[in-house]
Amino acid sequence: MYNKLLDTFVAVVETGSFAKAAEKLFITNTAVMKQMNNLEEQLEFAAFRRTSQGIFLTEAGELFYQEALTYMALSKEIIEKARKVAATNQYTIRVGTSFLNPCKAIMDLWSKISDTYPQFKIEIIPFDDNKQNILTVLDSLGTTFDIIAGSCDSKQWQERCQYYELEPLPFCCAVSREHRLAKKKSLTVSDLDGETIMMVKKGDSPANDAVRQLFIQSDSVISLENLPNFYDMSTFNRCSNTSNVLLSFPQWKDIHPNLVTIPLEIDPRSSFGILYPKNPSQDVVEFLKCLNI
């Protein structure tokens, strides 16, 4: 693609002055002069003769001007052809999103590179991720939608899809705004002495099981309330309506207006990333490559 300084160069040549070129391009006279000085530095020769009667092309500048017109026209033709090809080879990637598994992380990644890959379009597909149907949702990867973002430490989840980790996921505790711990900036296990911790039952999540063992082996007196393997809105409502502490994650900090999410200072981490089908389509494979996955 041609250097944008060529647009200013051609405007100067065709108007015969820096001032008129600036007016045509809706920029300042100073900006035009700086751009032309920059261009001549890159070219390593003088394109203009600056005199009291005006500015004129040097012999080298005249040759450059003629060749630049040809080059710019060819560049525009190439770009137009490429755009037509991109328009006829559009691929739609369906991104699932829900209350507990929002697509923001994927869209943040995509926004940084979308201009480079115009052949892909994103379609956001909402889904309901209550604890009764989340496994059915995962079975729909590749049919209803192509990818979703979420934590994936569940053995049942991993049986149903492939997974690419974007980052380790620290554990937090969610408590009601009236809870004695609500104003804490962070929590240690000893801070939880005397509390009832709501967390998923043992067996499906190695990371949760590691946290469970940490609570059991600590010197603090901590009661554990077993939850189903997957949370839904009723889980957060129960935490809000009791004095219990809910083992949670940072991305859920805004799920419930009456809950405060506080970092938990422990070593075990879960995992956050992109879930996609066991046998993804070629479109999805190419899209994931764009994301460097």
Side-chain angles (χ1 to χ4, degrees):
M1 192 177 298
Y2 63 83
N3 191 323
K4 288 295 185 180
L5 293 177
L6 293 179
D7 292 329
T8 305
F9 173 72
V10 169
V12 171
V13 174
E14 293 181 348
T15 60
S17 78
F18 291 147
K20 290 180 180 178
E23 184 178 346
K24 180 179 180 179
L25 297 171
F26 301 102
I27 58 178
T28 66
N29 192 10
T30 301
V32 170
M33 289 189 288
K34 285 183 177 180
Q35 288 185 35
M36 292 303 92
N37 290 338
N38 187 8
L39 178 63
E40 288 181 315
E41 288 179 8
Q42 293 182 33
L43 295 175
E44 298 183 354
F45 64 78
F48 299 104
R49 287 189 294 106
R50 297 159 174 83
T51 71
S52 57
Q53 286 76 38
I55 58 171
F56 304 91
L57 286 172
T58 63
E59 184 177 354
E62 180 63 38
L63 174 62
F64 181 74
Y65 170 64
Q66 296 298 331
E67 293 296 332
L69 291 177
T70 302
Y71 176 69
M72 291 168 68
L74 180 59
S75 294
K76 290 177 181 178
E77 182 181 345
I78 291 171
I79 292 170
E80 186 59 31
K81 287 180 179 179
R83 284 174 176 165
K84 288 180 179 179
V85 170
T88 58
N89 292 281
Q90 289 287 343
Y91 305 102
T92 299
I93 302 299
R94 300 161 301 173
V95 181
T97 190
S98 70
F99 207 43
L100 294 179
N101 293 279
C103 64
K104 185 179 184 301
I106 294 175
M107 298 312 298
D108 286 347
L109 280 175
W110 180 240
S111 67
K112 298 175 183 178
I113 61 171
S114 57
D115 289 345
T116 308
Y117 303 101
Q119 67 271 34
F120 289 107
K121 290 186 176 180
I122 302 297
E123 181 179 358
I124 306 299
I125 308 292
F127 66 89
D128 184 10
D129 53 3
N130 64 59
K131 57 179 175 284
Q132 284 80 25
N133 74 351
I134 185 60
L135 295 181
T136 302
V137 167
L138 294 178
D139 288 335
S140 298
L141 280 169
T143 54
T144 305
F145 36 78
D146 300 305
I147 58 176
I148 63 174
S151 57
C152 189
D153 187 57
S154 164
K155 295 176 182 177
Q156 294 180 74
W157 282 35
Q158 292 175 1
E159 289 172 355
R160 288 167 165 81
C161 62
Q162 296 194 65
Y163 177 70
Y164 179 82
E165 183 182 50
L166 295 175
E167 59 181 343
L169 194 60
F171 283 96
C172 299
C173 288
V175 297
S176 71
R177 294 187 180 277
E178 298 78 27
H179 198 281
R180 69 176 184 88
L181 299 174
K183 297 194 181 298
K184 289 270 194 179
K185 298 298 183 182
S186 64
L187 296 172
T188 63
V189 174
S190 61
D191 290 325
L192 300 175
D193 188 38
E195 298 293 340
T196 296
I197 310 295
M198 301 163 59
M199 61 185 301
V200 298
K201 61 186 179 182
K202 183 178 179 180
D204 186 56
S205 165
N208 274 268
D209 289 351
V211 176
R212 175 185 293 273
Q213 194 62 27
L214 189 67
F215 290 155
I216 292 172
Q217 293 177 345
S218 74
D219 294 330
S220 301
V221 178
I222 298 175
S223 300
L224 300 178
E225 178 182 327
N226 291 328
L227 299 176
N229 287 327
F230 314 114
Y231 292 0
D232 61 12
M233 198 60 209
S234 66
T235 307
F236 296 91
N237 282 332
R238 174 164 172 71
C239 179
S240 174
N241 294 328
T242 66
S243 59
N244 293 346
V245 177
L246 177 66
L247 192 66
S248 187
F249 292 124
Q251 74 267 26
W252 293 337
K253 64 183 180 65
D254 298 320
I255 286 286
H256 197 294
N258 192 45
L259 295 181
V260 177
T261 299
I262 309 167
L264 183 57
E265 296 179 6
I266 57 175
D267 288 333
R269 294 286 190 274
S270 188
S271 177
F272 180 82
I274 297 177
L275 295 83
Y276 58 101
K278 284 284 190 182
N279 298 298
S281 67
Q282 190 59 37
D283 296 351
V284 172
V285 171
E286 294 302 320
F287 179 77
L288 294 174
K289 287 180 181 178
C290 295
L291 297 179
N292 291 321
I293 294 176

